[in-house]
Structure formats: C-alpha cells, structure tokens
Amino acid sequence: MATVVLDKRAGRQGSAAAERGGEPVPVVKEGELYVARAELVLARPDRRRLAAADLEPDPLEVMAAACAHVNREHGEQAELIVDLVPVPTRAVERWRRKLMRSAGRRGPTAYGEQVGGAGGNRGGGMLAAIVEGLNGGSSVGSRPARRLPRQSDLADGVGKFLPAADTKVFAVQVLVRVSARHPAQAQARLHQVMAVLDAWRGENWWRPVGPRRTGWRPYSNVWWRRRSFDRRYLSGEFAPVRRQWVTAKEVAALLKPPSVQCSAANVMRTGGVVPPAPPKLPEWTGQAGLVPLGRVTGADGRTRLAGVPQKDVLFGASLGKAGYGKSELALLQAIAMAYGGFGAWFADPHGAAVKRALPYLTHPAVAERVWLIDLSAKVHDARVAAWNPLDMEGRTASDIQDVVGAVVGGLTLAQGWGSGAYRARAILSQAVLVLTHLALRMCERGRPDLQPTLFTIHRLLTDEEWRQTVLAQLPRRISKFWMTTFPDYEKGAVPVITQTLQLLETSDSLRAFLGQPRSTYRVRQAMDEKKIVLIRCSGSGAGETVITALMIFDLFLAGLSREGIDQSELATMWGFVDEMRAVDGAASGTLAAIFEQLRKYEVRLMAMTQMLMRLNEDTRMALMQNQSLLTATGADHDEAGFITKRLDDITPKTIQKQPKYSYVASATINGKRTAPFRVLGVPLEEVYADYRHPERVPLLLKTVDRTMRRRTVGEILLDLDGDEEGRRPGLDDRILRHLTDPGPPPQRRMRTVLSSTDSHSEVR
C-alpha cells in the first residue's frame, strides 16, 4: 500500500474557506485541542473521471494557505492523507467487462435518453412498431429487431476504464483531520483542507461521508464513524467506506511536491532537482584512501556517508555563502586526512574552525604531529611559535634568491601591487636582499640569534647610520644600489613599503610570531614530516590579510622546492585555505600559479571562497579549470550562474536555494567526471564523537609548546624591542653592536632539543 501524507503543521494564515452548507461542523474536544474529521469519497460512480488539476496555479497552494496559522508549538495539526493501493490488472479487466455488459443492456442512447426498444420493455416495443408503420416500416404485429448500443454508448458506460485509457488504477482512501485550540478554528480549517480537492472537480468530485441531509453535518466526527476513522488514521489501515478507483493521471497533481507555481512562503523547498549520487561513489566509513564528502542518497534510495578516492582529488574548490558549511566540510576532510596519516595545513581566517578542531586532535596517534599557530593572543603570557621569513639558518647563499622571492612575493600579494608600484617593489627587493645576506653572515659567525626580521626592513630604510654600518659588512655589489640608485628615488616610495610593515606591528601576537630571529615553524619541514598545522589568523588586527598572504605564498614556494624529487617519495600535504578573496590581491596571477602547480608536488590544495566573482579573473579561471572536486552551496544569482556552467543540468536557482549544510557536488572518480549530485553536510561531533576530548586540550597545548618551542609574547617582545630603561637593547641595536664590536665569540652551551617526532636531537 502506498500512503501519501500532506501534513502541514506550521506557516502563515490564509483566508478561511466558507463553511459548506452554512452550518457548523461539530468538533470533538480531545485534551486541550478540538479535533474535526472527514473522510472524502467520489460523489458519482468511480467510472466518472475527476478533472486533471492544472499546475498553474498549483492546487497545493490552497493546502499551504489552510495550514498557514497552524500553531505547531501548541500541538495543532492539519493533515490531508491520501492512501493508494494498486489495483491488479485482472481486477480492472473484470470491472471493465461488467461495465460493458451493463452498457449493452441499456441499448442506444441520445442526449442521455434511451432510444428504441432494446431494453425489452413491451410498451416501448409496441410504440416503436406503430412509429415504424406510420413511416412505411414493418407491420404492426411484427417483432422489432434488437438494436445494438452505439460505440459512444459503450465508451460512456465504461468511462475512464477504457482499454486505451490510463490503465494504472489505484484504490483510494482520503482522510482529513485537523486539530486546533478553538472549535471554530478546527471546523474552518477542516473546510479549507477539503477545499483543496475542489481543483479536481469535473465529471466527478469529492464529497465527505456522514450525515448530510439536514443542517447537522458532523461528517466523520459522528460517534459511529469516529472509531473507524481514528483506527485507520493511527495505523494506516486501508478500509475506505466504499470501493473507489482512480487512475494515476487523475491524482498525479495531488501526489507531487509543491511546484514552483506554489508561491506560499510556508512550504519547504527542495532546492531544485539534483540527480542522485552516482552508484560508483564509494561509501566512507572512516577508512584511509577516501576524502569524505558528507551524506548522500543514491538512486536506490539508500542514504550513506560518501567519499571520493584521494588519488582523484588533486585540487578542490568549495563555493558558497558564509555560514553555509564550507569550513565544517573542510574541517571534516582535514581531520580525516590527519588520522589517515597525511599532513594537513589549515589556514583559518576566522578562528572558530581551529578552536573546533583541537578537541578532535588530542589522540596520541596525532597529538605529537600537531603544530598550532595562534595569532589571536591578547595577553603577554600567551605562547606563540616563531617564523622568520628571513631566517637563513641551515641554508646557503644559493637559497637567498628563493628567500627574497618568497618575502617580496608574499608582501606584494598581500598589498595587491600586481604589476604596478615599480619603485616600491625595487626598494623592497633590495632591502630583503641586504637582510638575507646579513642573516647568512650572522649564521656563519655562530650568531643565528641575531638574524634580522621583517621589522628590520623599517630600520634599514629609515636609519641612515644603521644602513651604512650593515652595508659595510656586505659585498660592494649589494651596496651599490643604496649608494647610487636609492638616493634618486623620491621619498614617497619608502612609505608605501613601511605602511605594509606597520600593519604587522598593530598586533603583539604578530610581532611576536614574526619578530624572533630563529624559526620554529618551517612549512617544508611540516610537509616532509606530515605535520598537522593549524593557523588561526583572526584577532591579528589590520595585518591579518598580510600574514595570511605571506603564509600562503610560503606554502607555495615550499611546494616548488620539492622539484626534482621523485613523486613517489613525497609525503602528501593537504592544504585548506578559507576565503581566498582576502589574499587575491595580485593581478599578476600568483594564486593562479599556486592552483596550477602545487598539485605536481603532492600538495593537494582545497580552496574556499564565498565571493567567486570578486576573485581576479586569472585566479577564478585557474580555480575552476583545475578543480577535481567541486562543492557549491547557496550563492547569489551571478555566482550561481557562473558555477552552474560547470554543472550539467543544474539551474542557477537550484544553487541559489540550497539550504545551509547542503551542497551540489561534482567529483572525479577513476579519472572520469561525475554528474552533479546532492550532499548533506555532517557535523564533526557526529562523525568523530569518539575522538572528541575537550578535557585533553590543555595537555595538547603543552605538547605543542614543546614541539614548537613556543615562548611567551612578553618575553619575545622584550627581546625584540628592549626595555625602556635601556639596560637591554632591542634586536636591531644588538645587531648593530655586534657589527661594530663583535667581541669574543659567545660561549656555546650544550642543549639537547627533541624534535617533534623524538627521532633525533640537535646540539646547540
């Protein structure tokens, strides 16, 4: 038995339909609610056809209006229940033959009246004989010949059960039940719901059963019908008060969901037609080798968690509005990759994602691999790691050009200079070149603790004495620019550079992170050792965009540094970057190059953005061209139109109306692109409930302090700036003092530092 329930329990109020017959319908009070019931049957013999309801306007809009003021919180309901049971073909054939025999006994008819004596009536036969005699026919005493029914009479007698008609036949049971807190509301809503079926009024129509001969019309609320009605309502029993058959064509408009023509606001929308998930999409149960997607429904109706083979995901793009689940999906994938033994690099510009991830990474299997860079620290007791982009420790002179390219490229990307700002770019490049040579010189002298940082660029550009002292220690070819070209540049070019650095100085946590001479964060090391890097940039003030751009560009160059290594020997790193628009400032196509090249070096980047159309054109085209996994949730019209050009048979309106945590996805499986399919997001706490241990987060943070050698913000800033009394000079002053008076080499002490994997130690 197929049961179709149109159950509407919340929404807006529509106009109440007029009460049928003008008389009140008795309702029954059950607890605090009043209940009205009605069972509907076909008013005429069921061979008479119902009208096929038009889809414009959608007949279900009347149902939506009837349910508009139903208060679900108070337990009110309004239900139109249509139960269908398929009728066997043989039963339909037997009924058709019976109708044909009945039509044959009636004889020919005209305008609904019987013609001739075919019915065997004696009086009718004599009258026919007289008429024939007057017209030159047979004699009065002769017996008239039996006249066969016409074809039209047979068709009228069989009605909708003709062999050439719609042969899919169902037995039907229609129940209407409403409950309200006031009896007048219950009876008014009952008639509103019954009015839904007026759209099918034609040769036949629906009418309620029960007493109807007087003004008293209780329908199925009458005591001798109420028990049977409630039993069928609660149990789903199919026992209509009489046999009634309908064809599929008659009830098709009633069984469909509300269409686009139904403009009622209290109707849940499906978000458009999206094909089911492909059967070849693997089921994900936590096993390695798959990138999780979420919950999908296949063509067989089975719902499961699905994943995409890792080998087929070279680059992914997640698009849609903020707050619609992009970060949650990325977190699920990042944690799955971490537990699968891969490295993960997650840049979170908002901060909430990293905070959510920490309780799921306290397991001993992954805790030692976690690196946390939290730039939201507001107090000086907070601990931060160290990253000096100018750090030359462990490097040689041949690496200087790579360091210069990374720093200049990152700052250019952050400021959006693109192909402009020639003077600023030239000055910045020369400044970074000087400081990297100075850092290499300090490392060669055994003083890596005196390497310059990004903040030293300001001192180099504005302090003539300091600059001359540094240049005196470097080869003449390095100082030539500063002696001949730099004085000719207009003074307005320097502030263009220094204002970028001043953005980084607005946050103490940023100054502490970038102001240490020796790095404890190296992204290439994280790649090779399969680290789980969580970067929280929120709270770092105006420099948030700058630091994000620097770190993304550093990731790019670290990937390129793997060139020449056999791909089978490279450890895979999964990178997740949220809100690409914030760092897409360079018109030269830097991000486009990242999308195009990183996958060659086993860095699988998953990019997220909510404003695809605001990305640089080169970036946008590279993003869509190279993605092998595309997920899209709610977006505006322009964004949706651009996305659906890459999703066959999906309309922009379908993307626009995607609800939260629902995606339209297209993936690559075994090298072939799948058709779009719908994915429902799953929260972390549902998938990794057994791994969630917030009480272990403090222990995890202590582990990170050890593996990243994190120091307090106050201690770092004291080393960087010095104290106000002048007893302890800042880093730049200590560098200057060392250059002018090196003194005896510092006494080296033995210090054993365990690496994050505890597999080796280094002596300092």
Side-chain angles (χ1 to χ4, degrees):
M1 178 177 69
T3 301
V4 180
V5 180
L6 301 178
D7 181 2
K8 308 293 182 181
R9 307 188 182 188
R12 297 188 309 171
Q13 175 69 28
S15 59
E19 297 180 7
R20 302 191 178 196
E23 297 292 338
V25 179
V27 294
V28 179
K29 186 174 183 180
E30 298 181 3
E32 296 182 356
L33 298 175
Y34 292 87
V35 180
R37 305 169 177 83
E39 180 178 359
L40 303 181
V41 296
L42 295 174
R44 301 185 67 190
D46 60 2
R47 74 174 187 273
R48 300 296 181 185
R49 186 180 296 275
L50 292 166
D54 293 332
L55 296 182
E56 188 175 354
D58 194 321
L60 295 183
E61 189 163 356
V62 181
M63 184 67 191
C67 303
H69 262 187
V70 173
N71 193 329
R72 185 175 181 179
E73 294 180 357
H74 293 158
E76 295 181 348
Q77 296 181 0
E79 296 173 275
L80 170 59
I81 302 173
V82 181
D83 293 328
L84 298 175
V85 174
V87 179
T89 304
R90 291 184 178 180
V92 176
E93 293 174 350
R94 286 195 300 268
W95 183 240
R96 184 185 299 119
R97 288 192 295 268
K98 183 177 180 180
L99 293 175
M100 292 179 66
R101 288 194 298 269
S102 177
R105 286 194 295 269
R106 293 182 60 210
T109 61
Y111 305 104
E113 300 293 334
Q114 188 173 1
V115 178
N121 183 284
R122 185 175 180 81
M126 291 178 63
L127 179 61
I130 294 172
V131 173
E132 289 182 8
L134 293 175
N135 289 280
S138 59
S139 63
V140 175
S142 63
R143 181 180 180 84
R146 182 178 181 86
R147 303 179 67 181
L148 297 175
R150 296 178 297 183
Q151 193 72 19
S152 59
D153 296 324
L154 289 176
D156 182 69
V158 176
K160 65 187 179 187
F161 297 114
L162 286 171
D166 185 1
T167 57
K168 194 66 177 177
V169 178
F170 299 92
V172 64
Q173 171 180 266
V174 180
L175 305 177
V176 180
R177 185 182 186 277
V178 299
S179 59
R181 302 186 71 189
H182 193 277
Q185 289 180 337
Q187 56 186 287
R189 289 173 190 166
L190 177 70
H191 284 116
Q192 282 183 290
V193 176
M194 290 166 57
V196 174
L197 297 177
D198 285 347
W200 283 264
R201 191 178 186 93
E203 292 181 22
N204 216 337
W205 63 91
W206 298 98
R207 68 168 180 82
V209 298
R212 297 184 303 111
R213 295 188 179 278
T214 66
W216 183 59
R217 296 190 175 188
Y219 303 145
S220 293
N221 263 349
V222 69
W223 64 268
W224 63 84
R225 291 189 181 278
R226 192 187 314 150
R227 179 177 297 179
S228 171
F229 183 99
D230 288 344
R231 183 183 69 250
R232 288 177 288 159
Y233 168 77
L234 294 173
S235 67
E237 176 186 351
F238 186 85
V241 295
R242 75 180 191 192
R243 198 215 68 168
Q244 47 195 356
W245 290 356
V246 295
T247 61
K249 186 176 181 180
E250 289 178 286
V251 295
L254 184 63
L255 305 183
K256 66 168 185 59
S259 67
V260 69
Q261 306 299 338
C262 181
S263 58
N266 60 322
V267 174
M268 180 178 292
R269 305 293 176 177
T270 62
V273 178
V274 181
K280 57 186 176 182
L281 190 68
E283 181 173 2
W284 181 68
T285 58
Q287 73 273 34
L290 293 180
V291 179
L293 283 180
R295 189 174 287 109
V296 302
T297 301
D300 56 357
R302 189 171 70 92
T303 300
R304 66 187 191 277
L305 286 176
V308 181
Q310 292 176 3
K311 61 183 179 63
D312 290 317
V313 182
L314 301 179
F315 175 77
S318 184
L319 315 172
K321 294 180 180 179
Y324 271 55
K326 301 188 303 297
S327 297
E328 188 76 3
L329 176 60
L331 271 181
L332 173 65
Q333 294 171 342
I335 292 176
M337 296 302 98
Y339 279 104
F342 296 97
W345 190 91
F346 196 102
D348 176 22
H350 308 299
V354 168
K355 187 176 181 180
R356 275 181 54 75
L358 288 177
Y360 299 93
L361 297 172
T362 59
H363 194 281
V366 297
E368 290 287 338
R369 293 162 48 208
V370 174
W371 279 7
L372 174 62
I373 299 173
D374 188 355
L375 303 180
S376 64
K378 300 284 192 302
V379 296
H380 281 199
D381 291 338
R383 292 182 175 271
V384 297
W387 179 45
N388 181 8
L390 304 178
D391 187 0
M392 293 299 295
E393 188 174 11
R395 291 173 169 171
T396 63
S398 61
D399 298 318
I400 289 179
Q401 61 179 355
D402 295 333
V403 176
V404 173
V407 175
V408 175
L411 292 175
T412 299
L413 178 66
Q415 289 301 101
W417 289 345
S419 57
Y422 303 107
R423 292 182 178 86
R425 187 192 296 271
I427 295 172
L428 178 61
S429 300
Q430 292 295 328
V432 175
L433 179 65
V434 168
L435 295 182
T436 50
H437 275 278
L438 176 61
L440 181 62
R441 181 66 58 89
M442 291 299 182
C443 292
E444 291 173 347
R445 293 183 178 184
R447 296 302 305 269
D449 58 312
L450 292 181
Q451 295 182 95
T453 67
L454 290 181
F455 302 114
T456 312
I457 296 176
H458 187 277
R459 185 75 176 267
L460 177 68
L461 296 178
T462 59
D463 190 331
E464 178 72 22
E465 180 183 356
W466 196 94
R467 181 170 65 248
Q468 293 300 331
T469 303
V470 170
L471 293 176
Q473 305 291 324
L474 302 180
R476 181 173 178 79
R477 63 179 182 83
I478 303 298
S479 59
K480 183 178 180 180
F481 169 85
W482 302 95
M483 301 299 181
T484 59
T485 308
F486 182 70
D488 295 335
Y489 277 122
E490 60 185 50
K491 295 182 179 180
V494 172
V496 175
I497 301 172
T498 57
Q499 68 183 6
T500 302
L501 301 174
Q502 288 168 355
L503 292 177
L504 298 175
E505 294 178 353
T506 59
S507 167
D508 284 347
S509 58
L510 264 181
R511 295 181 66 236
F513 178 57
L514 296 172
Q516 301 180 64
R518 307 179 73 178
S519 298
T520 61
Y521 163 73
R522 291 185 175 89
V523 68
R524 174 60 191 273
Q525 178 187 355
M527 286 183 184
D528 296 340
E529 298 182 5
K530 303 179 182 179
K531 301 296 184 184
I532 305 164
V533 183
L534 303 176
I535 303 172
R536 183 178 182 181
C537 299
S538 62
S540 53
E544 182 176 320
T545 301
V546 180
I547 186 61
T548 303
L550 282 170
M551 300 192 77
I552 289 177
F553 201 77
D554 185 51
L555 176 72
F556 171 53
L557 293 182
L560 295 183
S561 68
R562 289 177 152 192
E563 186 175 5
I565 303 176
D566 190 274
Q567 195 167 10
S568 61
E569 299 177 2
L570 297 176
T572 302
M573 167 69 80
W574 291 84
F576 298 85
V577 181
D578 200 355
E579 208 44 66
M580 297 297 300
R581 186 189 65 83
V583 294
D584 183 40
S588 59
T590 304
L591 285 182
I594 293 176
F595 298 150
E596 293 167 357
Q597 299 183 45
L598 271 187
R599 56 183 178 166
K600 303 175 185 177
Y601 307 107
E602 280 303 306
V603 180
R604 314 289 180 89
L605 192 63
M606 312 293 282
M608 293 156 274
T609 185
Q610 58 177 298
M611 296 182 182
L612 180 64
M613 299 306 294
R614 292 184 62 181
L615 294 179
N616 177 277
E617 184 177 358
D618 291 340
T619 302
R620 184 169 62 249
M621 298 308 297
L623 178 70
M624 302 305 294
Q625 173 70 23
N626 294 293
Q627 52 82 18
S628 52
L629 173 62
L630 175 64
T631 59
T633 183
D636 70 6
H637 183 269
D638 293 337
E639 304 275 337
F642 186 84
I643 295 169
T644 51
K645 291 179 181 179
R646 278 81 180 168
L647 299 172
D648 295 338
D649 302 324
I650 302 297
T651 64
K653 186 168 289 188
T654 299
I655 299 295
Q656 286 179 264
K657 293 187 176 296
Q658 285 299 302
K660 283 188 174 183
Y661 313 117
S662 176
Y663 319 92
V664 175
S666 177
T668 303
I669 301 179
N670 297 326
K672 296 182 179 179
R673 196 74 180 192
T674 68
F677 56 93
R678 195 185 301 278
V679 178
L680 296 179
V682 290
L684 277 176
E685 52 267 21
E686 180 179 329
V687 180
Y688 285 103
D690 294 339
Y691 290 84
R692 186 176 184 275
H693 293 284
E695 73 281 359
R696 299 181 186 174
V697 171
L699 181 61
L700 175 63
L701 296 180
K702 290 183 179 180
T703 302
V704 174
D705 289 342
R706 173 173 55 84
T707 56
M708 297 200 76
R709 302 192 297 277
R710 299 200 303 179
R711 302 164 60 200
T712 64
V713 173
E715 179 185 356
I716 298 169
L717 295 183
L718 182 62
D719 283 345
L720 179 63
D721 301 329
D723 57 13
E724 296 183 358
E725 294 80 9
R727 290 176 297 183
R728 179 177 178 82
L731 176 62
D732 294 343
D733 291 331
R734 296 201 305 274
I735 293 174
L736 182 63
R737 179 183 297 178
H738 178 79
L739 292 177
T740 56
D741 184 17
Q747 184 178 0
R748 301 188 65 184
R749 56 191 178 91
M750 303 296 291
R751 178 184 176 191
T752 302
V753 180
L754 295 179
S755 73
S756 58
T757 57
D758 290 341
S759 60
H760 67 278
S761 61
E762 57 177 309
V763 179
R764 296 179 181 168

